């Protein structure tokens, strides 16, 4: 990050005499203070690697900016605990800070749920440094876990699938990642969120002819043609889809738009970047067919193709990213016991995960996985992202109990 000092920032060791709340608050504040927008996770990954290595009990390895730490002692079953280190770009919300009770920046919903508590405000508070802090705390304090454990703290989750650190780790070292069950600590307010929506992103491209805007009849305006793309998006009605008992909410949204080369030039190209979130009753191929038709042929990296059907029939499409959905998979014995404990401690029943998470990657590996993390998913990627400290202590408590003999 431009302007930031180059010296290594550290995560202080956990003092055996301090309370869980004190240790979690400190780790949370320290990792929140390390800027880690995707592509800039290096310093945080360094600090995590040093912290885990200094514990002296874990086998710590690294691939790129992904850190993997094993606590393997032949305990029978093997659980993976994973969290990503990157955040979406900052939006006037870095550096972070603690908000004391009564601070007007504390959201009303957070104040109501966590009265009288201090709250961490800033980029990554919920997605997902609250949970990362808990994973680091568990690594430091869980001395005799019931299962073999692997902690994975990885880079590039928030961006295109080809950059995803977990994916790259598995591709480079398939023998490093395995297990009977995985917990992805994406924000869930300490409830279980099962499976995940799939996501595809693509540009719908309109073309025209450039000309002087004082002689527009000499050209053809590509931005005006994009109005039809926006009309189709506006007409879309979000769908709820029930899959294995959980209700997933789908959506098709424009998230970026670009076009034009000058203030007095008729634009010859316009791109509407569209994101389709689809429920786990659909494969990637089915999701693509719904957007651009079965015969479209648009694939990642192979340029523009005419949509032959679907929502954007007749428009040129360029594929940008795709990640499959994952079914809830709530029937594995480890999921059942974890869900029962979560219900007992929070009163929450499992819900569907609306964002895309790496449970889908574990599902592809045949490893049952659920999302369980601190912080509210509803605040992920918002400017006023924030998390109360009791969410971290609750998650640490639940996982400590579930993972202890
Ligand atoms: N390759 C995908 C990656 C998108 C990942 C991101 N995940 C989350 O925000 C999880 C947070 C949550 O819902 O708990 C997402 O869903 O956008 C891409 O680049 O689109």
């Amino acid at each position: 990050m431009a302007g930031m000092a180059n010296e290594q920032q550290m995560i202080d060791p956990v003092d055996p005499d301090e309370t869980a709340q004190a240790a979690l608050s400190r780790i949370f504040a320290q990792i929140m203070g390390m800027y880690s927008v995707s592509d800039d996770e290096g310093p945080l990954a360094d600090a995590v690697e040093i912290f885990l290595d200094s514990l002296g009990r874990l086998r710590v390895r690294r691939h790129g900016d992904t850190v993997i730490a094993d606590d393997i002692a032949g305990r029978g079953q093997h659980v993976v605990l994973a969290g990503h280190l990157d955040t979406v770009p900052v939006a006037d919300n870095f550096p972070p800070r603690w908000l004391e009770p009564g601070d007007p920046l504390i959201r009303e919903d957070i104040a109501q749920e966590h009265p009288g508590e201090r709250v961490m405000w800033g980029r990554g508070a919920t997605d997902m440094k609250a949970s990362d802090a808990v994973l680091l705390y568990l690594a430091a304090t869980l001395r005799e876990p019931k299962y073999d454990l692997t902690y994975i703290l990885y880079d590039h989750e928030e961006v295109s699938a080809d950059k995803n650190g977990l994916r790259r780790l598995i591709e480079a070292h398939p023998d490093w990642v395995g297990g009977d069950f995985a917990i992805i600590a994406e924000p869930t307010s300490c409830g279980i969120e099962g499976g995940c929506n799939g996501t595809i992103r693509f540009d719908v491209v309109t073309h025209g002819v450039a000309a002087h805007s004082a002689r527009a009849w000499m050209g053809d305006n590509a931005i005006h043609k994009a109005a039809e793309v926006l009309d189709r998006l506006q007409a879309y009605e979000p769908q709820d889809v029930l899959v294995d008992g959980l209700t997933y909410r789908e959506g098709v949204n424009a998230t970026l738009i670009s076009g034009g080369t000058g203030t007095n030039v008729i634009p010859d190209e316009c791109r509407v970047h569209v994101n389709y979130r689809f429920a786990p009753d659909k494969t990637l191929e089915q999701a693509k067919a719904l957007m651009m038709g079965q015969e479209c042929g648009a694939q990642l990296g192979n340029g523009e193709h005419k949509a032959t059907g679907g929502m954007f029939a007749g428009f040129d499409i360029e594929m940008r990213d795709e990640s499959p959905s994952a079914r809830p998979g709530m029937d594995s014995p480890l999921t059942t016991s974890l869900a029962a404990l979560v219900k007992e401690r929070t009163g929450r029943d499992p819900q569907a995960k609306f964002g895309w998470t790496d449970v889908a990657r574990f599902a592809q590996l045949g490893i049952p996985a659920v999302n369980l993390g601190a912080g509210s998913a509803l605040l992920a990627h918002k400017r006023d992202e924030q998390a109360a400290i009791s969410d971290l202590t609750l998650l640490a408590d639940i996982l400590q109990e579930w993972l202890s003999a």
Side-chain angles (χ1 to χ4, degrees):
M1 184 202 182
M4 276 196 79
N6 227 354
E7 77 201 39
Q8 175 62 52
Q9 293 168 284
M10 303 292 282
I11 304 165
D12 292 333
V14 174
D15 178 340
D17 291 332
E18 70 188 332
T19 62
Q21 178 166 323
L24 284 163
S25 301
R26 195 192 51 260
I27 298 172
F28 191 23
Q30 287 181 328
I31 63 177
M32 282 292 294
M34 297 181 209
Y35 178 94
S36 64
V37 172
S38 314
D39 286 342
D40 280 322
E41 301 94 328
L44 176 55
D46 292 345
V48 164
E49 184 182 5
I50 293 167
F51 176 84
L52 292 172
D53 215 24
S54 74
L55 300 172
R57 292 179 288 104
L58 306 175
R59 179 179 192 200
V60 181
R61 291 176 283 184
R62 179 152 170 172
H63 180 78
D65 284 331
T66 290
V67 182
I68 175 165
D70 282 323
D71 177 356
I72 308 285
R75 300 183 185 100
Q77 286 180 298
H78 183 173
V79 173
V80 179
L81 299 158
H84 63 81
L85 297 173
D86 61 321
T87 71
V88 294
V90 301
D92 298 327
N93 52 11
F94 186 89
R97 63 175 189 269
W98 285 112
L99 306 177
E100 298 304 329
D103 190 303
L105 277 180
I106 298 183
R107 294 172 55 96
E108 238 169 67
D109 47 1
I110 294 285
Q112 267 171 20
E113 244 182 86
H114 305 274
E117 265 188 57
R118 65 196 312 230
V119 167
M120 174 61 79
W121 170 96
R123 176 56 80 224
T126 68
D127 191 3
M128 57 174 288
K129 291 185 176 179
S131 292
D132 290 338
V134 173
L135 298 189
L136 294 173
Y137 174 75
L138 291 175
T141 55
L142 264 179
R143 289 307 168 105
E144 291 188 18
K146 187 171 171 182
Y147 309 115
D148 281 344
L149 297 179
T150 296
Y151 302 87
I152 306 178
L153 290 128
Y154 61 102
D155 59 300
H156 286 107
E157 188 271 352
E158 298 284 9
V159 290
S160 58
D162 59 318
K163 289 183 145 190
N164 181 294
L166 184 58
R167 172 194 183 137
R168 293 164 85 99
L169 174 75
I170 292 169
E171 280 172 4
H173 304 285
D175 53 320
W176 287 13
V177 181
D180 301 293
F181 185 63
I183 297 173
I184 311 299
E186 292 276 4
T188 65
S189 299
C190 298
I192 297 247
E193 292 188 359
C196 69
N197 274 326
T199 172
I200 57 177
R201 295 189 283 105
F202 51 93
D203 287 346
V204 183
V205 190
T206 57
H207 296 280
V209 176
H212 196 303
S213 58
R215 297 169 202 89
W217 66 90
M218 296 300 293
D220 181 19
N221 194 318
I223 290 182
H224 293 183
K225 290 181 180 170
E228 169 63 16
V229 177
L230 302 182
D231 281 346
R232 292 190 197 180
L233 284 162
Q234 192 70 32
Y236 169 84
E237 287 186 16
Q239 306 290 312
D240 281 353
V241 182
L242 185 67
V243 182
D244 301 341
L246 301 186
T247 303
Y248 292 82
R249 187 169 304 169
E250 298 193 324
V252 186
N253 285 284
T255 52
L256 298 168
I257 188 161
S258 61
T261 55
T263 52
N264 56 358
V265 181
I266 297 298
D268 59 0
E269 184 183 281
C270 181
R271 285 175 179 262
V272 182
H273 187 75
V274 176
N275 185 197
Y276 176 32
R277 303 288 177 148
F278 56 96
D281 64 331
K282 298 174 188 67
T283 63
L284 267 174
E285 286 316 310
Q286 289 169 327
K288 280 198 229 174
L290 286 167
M291 293 294 107
M292 53 199 77
Q294 217 121 32
E295 312 301 328
C296 173
Q299 302 291 336
L300 291 172
N302 78 342
E304 279 178 29
H305 285 258
K306 186 75 72 196
T308 56
M311 187 164 163
F312 297 102
F315 283 101
D316 288 330
I317 303 288
E318 204 171 312
M319 274 309 291
R320 293 295 185 181
D321 194 46
E322 56 185 53
S323 300
S325 57
R327 297 184 81 91
M330 298 301 298
D331 43 11
S332 94
L334 289 173
T335 313
T336 312
S337 75
L338 182 59
L341 177 62
V342 167
K343 171 84 180 169
E344 181 192 314
R345 298 298 295 274
T346 66
R348 287 170 204 261
D349 287 313
Q351 306 281 320
K353 175 56 92 184
F354 297 151
W356 181 87
T357 79
D358 275 289
V359 293
R361 196 172 311 284
F362 283 99
Q364 284 179 323
L365 292 176
I367 300 174
V370 294
N371 303 287
L372 170 62
S376 166
L378 296 174
L379 304 189
H381 304 190
K382 286 178 75 72
R383 272 175 199 270
D384 61 348
E385 229 183 299
Q386 51 193 263
I389 189 64
S390 65
D391 238 31
L392 282 74
T393 51
L394 177 59
L395 179 66
D397 247 32
I398 291 172
L399 288 176
Q400 226 152 12
E401 179 171 340
W402 188 71
L403 292 168
S404 294

